[in-house]
Amino acid sequence: MAITVEQANEKLLAKRKELGVNPSTRSTLSETISEVVEKIPALMSLIVPGECYRHKKPEPCPDCEEEDRRRREWAAEQERKRQELYAAEREAIIREREDRPEIILSKVGVGKRHLSCSFDSYKGGEKIKAICKQFVSDPFDIVLFGGAGSGKTHLAIAMLRELVRSGKIVDGQVAWGDNKYKGGFTSVPQLLADIRATFGSGNGDEQEIIDNYSNLQCLVLDDLGAEKSTEWSISTLYLIIDRRYRDMKPTIITTNLNMDEIGQHISRRIASRLSSGKVVEIKAPDYRMKRGGA
């Protein structure tokens, strides 16, 4: 049976006296009850047991149940809309990377002239293309060597293109497994020039650039051997290539030099590291001289 506030006050007063609590420590018991009721509406059920404090209806209150049902339906609808939006955005990203991989290729450092390079547009041996296509599903170190204009850079970018189209490079990042890592493309002369530019400039430092290229999950080093070999350039290249070799981060190298020539003119230690991967010789004419190709 429900009790009134006055009855509750009398019971509380009796209990306080029994415990030896001075009622004057607060203004009045009525005010105490009113404050509690105002701050914590749920406590009304203690004063009027078995009755909904919001709708003044017996428990279980049908109005409360209806409100709870509507809240659950609203929350479920919001979650459904969120999932639909996420799916639409993901589908749009997939379509873009499949239809326009050039957007992402440009973000990893590929220049405008080579953005269209693909396996389909490469005019060369099918065996060479087959080896390069393996890289997409099972990355490994690979060296493409051959004469000028033989299509080495074209094939290297074709591999990057397929990584983009398969979703492994996403907005300049590579995603193998559950992790995402940055990918990159640069020529060796440009890499060394970028490092030299930090000397005395106050903008970054040599170690920062070396760390960046060493930590990229997928890296194309284009035109190895075109740089002027000095003790500093050899040491810098070795640091990057050796760290990537030890961390098993796949590197694509293009060069006009074979392994023996790399060992003689650059570094035997670098040649040794690169030889651990696949070394592919491209025997093809200079397509740039013939038709302005990559």
Side-chain angles (χ1 to χ4, degrees):
M1 175 181 296
I3 61 174
T4 64
V5 172
E6 289 75 11
Q7 291 173 330
N9 284 339
E10 291 178 1
K11 290 185 177 182
L12 288 173
L13 179 60
K15 190 66 175 178
R16 291 171 69 87
K17 288 181 178 180
E18 179 184 341
L19 296 174
V21 178
N22 187 356
S24 64
T25 55
R26 296 186 62 91
S27 55
T28 66
L29 289 175
S30 295
E31 291 177 351
T32 301
I33 293 293
S34 298
E35 290 172 359
V36 171
V37 170
E38 180 181 354
K39 293 180 180 179
I40 312 176
L43 289 179
M44 286 293 293
S45 62
L46 299 177
I47 299 174
V48 186
E51 183 177 286
C52 168
Y53 70 90
R54 287 186 298 169
H55 305 105
K56 306 302 181 183
K57 293 183 178 180
E59 297 285 3
C61 175
D63 291 348
C64 289
E65 291 181 342
E66 177 64 16
E67 290 177 2
D68 289 343
R69 183 187 67 78
R70 290 177 179 178
R71 277 195 296 269
R72 290 194 297 270
E73 288 182 351
W74 180 86
E77 178 66 12
Q78 296 305 307
E79 176 62 18
R80 183 187 65 78
K81 290 180 178 180
R82 189 187 70 81
Q83 291 292 343
E84 287 182 353
L85 179 61
Y86 173 78
E89 291 176 344
R90 182 176 179 82
E91 183 178 351
I93 292 172
I94 292 173
R95 284 199 306 268
E96 181 174 272
R97 78 188 184 207
E98 290 179 348
D99 298 338
R100 301 181 63 194
E102 297 82 7
I103 295 175
I104 296 177
L105 287 174
S106 65
K107 291 182 179 181
V108 303
V110 177
K112 291 182 179 180
R113 182 176 295 277
H114 295 101
L115 285 177
S116 62
C117 292
S118 68
F119 288 127
D120 290 338
S121 62
Y122 176 72
K123 306 301 181 183
E126 292 299 320
K127 290 184 178 180
I128 293 175
K129 284 200 290 187
I131 293 173
C132 293
K133 288 179 179 180
Q134 292 176 8
F135 179 91
V136 179
S137 57
D138 185 20
F140 47 80
D141 290 336
I142 182 170
V143 178
L144 305 173
F145 78 94
S150 60
K152 303 180 299 293
T153 300
H154 189 124
L155 284 171
I157 295 171
M159 284 186 268
L160 290 182
R161 173 181 288 272
E162 290 306 308
L163 289 175
V164 171
R165 297 186 73 248
S166 64
K168 292 178 179 176
I169 294 182
V170 181
D171 195 19
Q173 295 186 320
V174 177
W176 276 312
D178 295 329
N179 300 316
K180 293 183 178 180
Y181 304 87
K182 291 182 179 179
F185 175 97
T186 186
S187 70
V188 173
Q190 184 63 57
L191 166 62
L192 297 174
D194 290 343
I195 295 176
R196 290 192 190 95
T198 65
F199 296 167
S201 67
N203 297 322
D205 56 43
E206 176 182 0
Q207 190 60 50
E208 182 180 350
I209 297 178
I210 290 174
D211 290 343
N212 178 54
Y213 282 106
S214 298
N215 293 328
L216 293 174
Q217 182 65 25
C218 178
L219 174 64
V220 175
L221 289 176
D222 192 39
D223 224 0
L224 175 67
E227 74 283 356
K228 180 180 179 180
S229 292
T230 64
E231 183 177 346
W232 172 81
S233 68
I234 292 171
S235 175
T236 301
L237 282 174
Y238 177 76
L239 284 175
I240 295 173
I241 292 172
D242 180 62
R243 280 179 58 178
R244 297 184 61 77
Y245 168 80
R246 287 186 285 110
D247 292 339
M248 300 181 69
K249 297 184 182 296
T251 307
I252 303 170
I253 304 283
T254 73
T255 178
N256 290 357
L257 308 176
N258 61 35
M259 288 298 102
D260 288 339
E261 291 170 331
I262 290 175
Q264 293 173 9
H265 302 302
I266 301 179
S267 165
R268 294 193 179 279
R269 291 189 299 172
I270 289 178
S272 175
R273 297 294 187 275
L274 298 181
S275 296
S276 66
K278 293 190 178 182
V279 179
V280 180
E281 181 179 8
I282 303 176
K283 298 178 180 179
D286 189 335
Y287 287 108
R288 282 194 292 264
M289 295 293 289
K290 284 188 171 185
R291 55 179 175 79

